[in-house]
């Protein structure tokens, strides 16, 4: 398990400074007493670039307050891209008539189109207008829109993060694996589960980085990072899809403790 570097190598700092200068901004001074975090001020916005070693940099700033993994070109693009305007209001569907209690983001919701004896059609309005009318979000639509994504074998990503026979849980920002309940299938990982609880086996909070490199030249093609272990499988699948047909690309993982 690697640790954060103690300083920024001169070539890495020079590459970042040159890339930022090419888009009309500049690499600022170090942040406080840090030796690996540089500041960037651009059009009234403040950014921070933390050097993470060979995997690249972590960029934090407007819209990416929790940080994202970037290389020099990606950092310049994020910093110089104008902030997006406010998201347009969501349009929702409402039954026409007096007997209505909910609004529906999904126009095909059975609760919206059911009961033909009282159905008089539907109208479309902004979600804020529906709330002002005293309507609530349809429970069926809400369940469909917030369902957890599944992996390639139909399992939720959250469960794919856990070792066989263990269930991940999160308390106070740290991940731990709870012992299997009697209703869980038996573990097939070899040794039986020890029965330790999340209080006994806490996971150290960490930054999980993924980097794609050219095997022959070692050139950095792409890097990204996440703080939550549950997001790692999604990021891995994105990299796998992007380089599935590139046998000359190596995808490497790196874990850096944050405490």
């Amino acid at each position: 398990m690697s640790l954060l570097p103690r300083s920024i190598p001169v070539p890495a700092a020079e590459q970042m400074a040159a890339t930022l200068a090419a888009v009309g901004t500049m690499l600022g001074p170090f942040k406080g007493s840090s030796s690996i975090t540089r500041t960037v001020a651009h059009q009234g916005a403040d950014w921070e670039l933390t050097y993470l070693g060979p995997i690249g940099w972590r960029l934090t700033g407007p819209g990416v307050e929790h940080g994202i993994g970037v290389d020099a070109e990606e950092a310049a693009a994020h910093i110089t891209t104008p902030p997006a305007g406010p998201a347009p209001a969501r349009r929702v569907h409402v039954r026409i008539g007096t007997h209505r209690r909910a609004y529906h983001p999904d126009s095909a919701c059975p609760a919206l189109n059911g009961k033909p004896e009282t159905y008089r059609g539907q109208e479309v309005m902004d979600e804020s207008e529906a709330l002002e009318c005293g309507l609530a979000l349809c429970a069926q639509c809400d369940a469909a829109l917030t369902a957890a994504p599944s992996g390639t074998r139909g399992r939720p990503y959250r469960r794919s993060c856990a070792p066989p026979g263990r269930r991940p849980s999160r308390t106070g920002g740290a991940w731990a694996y709870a012992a299997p309940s009697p209703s869980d299938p038996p573990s097939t990982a070899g040794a039986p589960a020890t029965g330790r609880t999340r209080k006994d086996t806490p996971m150290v909070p960490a930054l999980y980085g993924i980097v794609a490199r050219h095997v022959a030249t070692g050139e950095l093609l792409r890097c990204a990072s996440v703080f939550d272990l549950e997001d790692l499988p999604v990021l891995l699948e994105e990299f796998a899809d992007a380089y599935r047909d590139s046998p000359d690309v190596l995808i490497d993982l790196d874990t850096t403790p944050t405490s």
Side-chain angles (χ1 to χ4, degrees):
M1 183 178 293
S2 65
L3 300 175
L4 289 173
R6 296 180 178 273
S7 61
I8 305 175
V10 174
E14 290 179 345
Q15 180 191 17
M16 181 62 73
T19 305
L20 293 176
V23 295
T25 188
M26 61 180 298
L27 186 64
F30 285 96
K31 176 187 177 183
S33 60
S34 174
S35 61
I36 59 172
T37 299
R38 300 284 293 266
T39 59
V40 178
H42 182 74
Q43 296 183 353
D46 295 323
W47 303 81
E48 295 177 6
L49 280 165
T50 300
Y51 182 69
L52 302 178
I55 66 173
W57 300 74
R58 181 179 67 196
L59 175 68
T60 56
V64 287
E65 287 77 7
H66 296 290
I68 57 173
V70 295
D71 56 22
E73 290 75 15
E74 292 170 337
H78 274 283
I79 291 172
T80 57
T81 299
R90 181 165 66 166
R91 303 287 285 176
V92 297
H93 304 265
V94 177
R95 286 177 69 101
I96 296 176
T98 57
H99 295 84
R100 59 184 189 184
R101 301 181 180 87
Y103 63 87
H104 308 262
D106 183 6
S107 61
C109 177
L112 174 65
N113 303 296
K115 296 185 178 180
E117 64 277 8
T118 61
Y119 184 73
R120 299 295 183 268
Q122 56 183 264
E123 57 182 326
V124 179
M125 62 180 67
D126 289 344
E127 185 173 17
S128 58
E129 183 180 352
L131 292 171
E132 291 176 358
C133 294
L135 304 178
L137 174 62
C138 169
Q140 295 186 45
C141 291
D142 185 37
L145 293 173
T146 59
S150 297
T152 55
R153 296 185 181 179
R155 297 191 300 268
Y157 285 119
R158 179 184 292 270
R159 289 194 63 85
S160 65
C161 295
R166 298 297 183 92
R167 302 185 309 279
S169 59
R170 191 179 184 187
T171 304
W175 279 95
Y177 294 121
S181 68
S183 61
D184 286 343
S187 173
T188 57
T194 61
R196 291 182 296 178
T197 66
R198 62 174 178 267
K199 183 176 180 181
D200 302 320
T201 57
M203 290 189 67
V204 177
L207 176 70
Y208 304 96
I210 305 178
V211 59
R213 293 184 179 277
H214 194 278
V215 175
T217 65
E219 177 188 0
L220 177 64
L221 303 176
R222 179 183 176 188
C223 64
S225 60
V226 294
F227 285 96
D228 289 333
L229 185 61
E230 65 175 342
D231 296 332
L232 188 58
V234 181
L235 199 58
L236 273 171
E237 187 165 321
E238 290 180 2
F239 272 68
D241 290 340
Y243 299 102
R244 192 177 305 278
D245 300 324
S246 303
D248 56 343
V249 173
L250 172 68
I251 297 178
D252 193 15
L253 301 180
D254 183 80
T255 304
T256 303
T258 57
S259 64

